[in-house]
Amino acid sequence: MTHLASWDGELVAESEIRISPFSATATYGINVFEGLRAYWRGKEKGHSVLFCEAHIRRLLESASILGIDHRFTQGDLLEALEALIRTAPEADVAVRMTLMIVGDPGESWGSEAPANLAIRYFPAISSLDSVKTARAMTSSWRRPGIGSMPMSVKSGANYLNSRYGLLQSRACGVDLPLFLDERGYVVEGGGANLICRKSEEVLFCSLEQPVLRGITQEYIKSRLADCSNYRVVARPITLPELYVCDEVLLVGTTTEVISIEEVDGRTVIQARGGELCQFVCECLKSAVAEADVIIR
Ligand code: PMP
């Protein structure tokens, strides 16, 4: 069966999309992207796109910060996404939306060619009803400082740092890396934000640290702030603090929630079915039910 994708807002067979291997996106990673999720809602007979507007806004902001020129408005991006998701099966899917410089093959990283828009989806059944667990280790690869490679911009090239960490954790037989900043404070996972709970205190790293300002974590932070059971604190988190947390979670739109069961060989007290984990899953399920965009 032909798998459709979206190229510059047009539905095309994915296999027909051809870009030059010498383009700025292929050679230097000059692109910005978003990872979204569209949940199939049987009752509404449509896909609910979680945090859709926030993701599209961040994509446009990343493009602007990285000097990626393009012709797409927020409305164009939403329209292209909607057209593609209407062709998706009646199931949960993950979506990748990328603005990439493919013109001027052979040009340098300084290319000012306008970007093209590529969108694809792939099957990704939600795990909010049975959360995944993973073992993690702190990587010796640090997140680059905010003055070197801003991790707040969601560009493909930033994930080279995540890859170094993942290769290292795999070589050590551990599922995932956790990254520290240059000062040694814990910041995030390779593709998801970190949230830790110690008793009723829920810790998020500070947004002044080199971290992606995750849409999921910001939503959870706001929901926790409305809940009198917890105290929300955003500040640099030290490794000794992390080692004695009751719960350690990784969160993100595509990841949803991963409950970390071990950090650097130390068992996390509540790795499965912890109260924060349950709270986060319920928050995300209600966000899916109330999503700003339902595509039918
Ligand atoms: N940090 C990194 C490095 C990521 O790649 C992601 C996934 N986009 C996140 C955090 C989580 O962000 P969000 O909740 O916006 O998906």
Side-chain angles (χ1 to χ4, degrees), residues 31-279:
N31 61 60
V32 291
F33 72 99
E34 283 297 319
L36 298 92
R37 256 182 187 273
Y39 292 84
W40 176 249
R41 305 276 297 164
K43 266 197 213 142
E44 284 102 334
K45 291 226 165 304
H47 283 95
S48 163
V49 185
L50 188 59
F51 310 135
C52 186
E53 282 176 21
H55 279 287
I56 288 180
R57 209 176 314 123
R58 187 170 65 188
L59 182 72
L60 293 172
E61 284 176 2
S62 294
S64 157
I65 297 166
L66 201 51
I68 292 185
D69 185 29
H70 61 87
R71 63 175 170 80
F72 304 100
T73 64
Q74 196 158 341
D76 295 335
L77 296 172
L78 181 58
E79 209 175 292
L81 175 70
E82 284 178 340
L84 179 65
I85 295 302
R86 283 196 191 100
T87 71
E90 295 184 354
D92 302 337
V93 292
V95 183
R96 175 66 47 85
M97 193 184 240
T98 308
L99 282 167
M100 54 176 76
I101 297 189
V102 306
D104 286 349
E107 262 279 284
S108 77
W109 56 85
S111 172
E112 292 178 352
N116 294 77
L117 169 68
I119 314 176
R120 85 180 297 249
Y121 66 79
F122 46 95
I125 300 299
S126 170
S127 61
L128 289 175
D129 285 320
S130 75
V131 166
K132 288 171 271 184
T133 58
R135 293 162 61 230
M137 63 176 267
T138 51
S139 180
S140 62
W141 292 95
R142 301 293 171 96
R143 275 302 200 220
I146 53 165
S148 308
M149 242 338 231
M151 300 311 284
S152 54
V153 175
K154 201 165 161 61
S155 73
N158 276 5
Y159 289 81
L160 293 181
N161 181 251
S162 296
R163 182 175 170 90
Y164 286 124
L166 184 60
L167 294 178
Q168 184 183 38
S169 68
R170 278 186 191 155
C172 297
V174 175
D175 304 319
L176 298 170
L178 296 178
F179 290 89
L180 310 184
D181 66 12
E182 284 173 337
R183 295 181 303 163
Y185 292 105
V186 192
V187 279
E188 62 176 345
N193 289 120
L194 186 73
I195 311 181
C196 318
R197 181 181 67 80
K198 176 81 178 160
S199 304
E200 73 290 349
E201 190 167 78
V202 182
L203 289 169
F204 292 79
C205 80
S206 160
L207 293 179
E208 286 140 40
Q209 293 175 268
V211 67
L212 183 73
R213 191 186 178 127
I215 294 163
T216 315
Q217 83 157 12
E218 291 306 300
Y219 175 73
I220 293 164
K221 208 186 272 176
S222 72
R223 292 287 302 267
L224 282 164
D226 295 338
C227 170
S228 57
N229 297 357
Y230 298 107
R231 193 151 36 89
V232 175
V233 183
R235 61 163 172 80
I237 303 167
T238 67
L239 208 41
E241 283 179 309
L242 181 71
Y243 287 161
V244 295
C245 274
D246 297 328
E247 278 183 87
V248 178
L249 306 177
L250 285 173
V251 301
T253 305
T254 313
T255 299
E256 299 184 311
V257 187
I258 296 176
S259 178
I260 301 297
E261 52 190 356
E262 184 189 296
V263 179
D264 293 343
R266 292 154 174 90
T267 304
V268 177
I269 295 171
Q270 270 195 307
R272 237 173 243 274
E275 60 181 82
L276 180 64
C277 183
Q278 287 175 24
F279 180 92

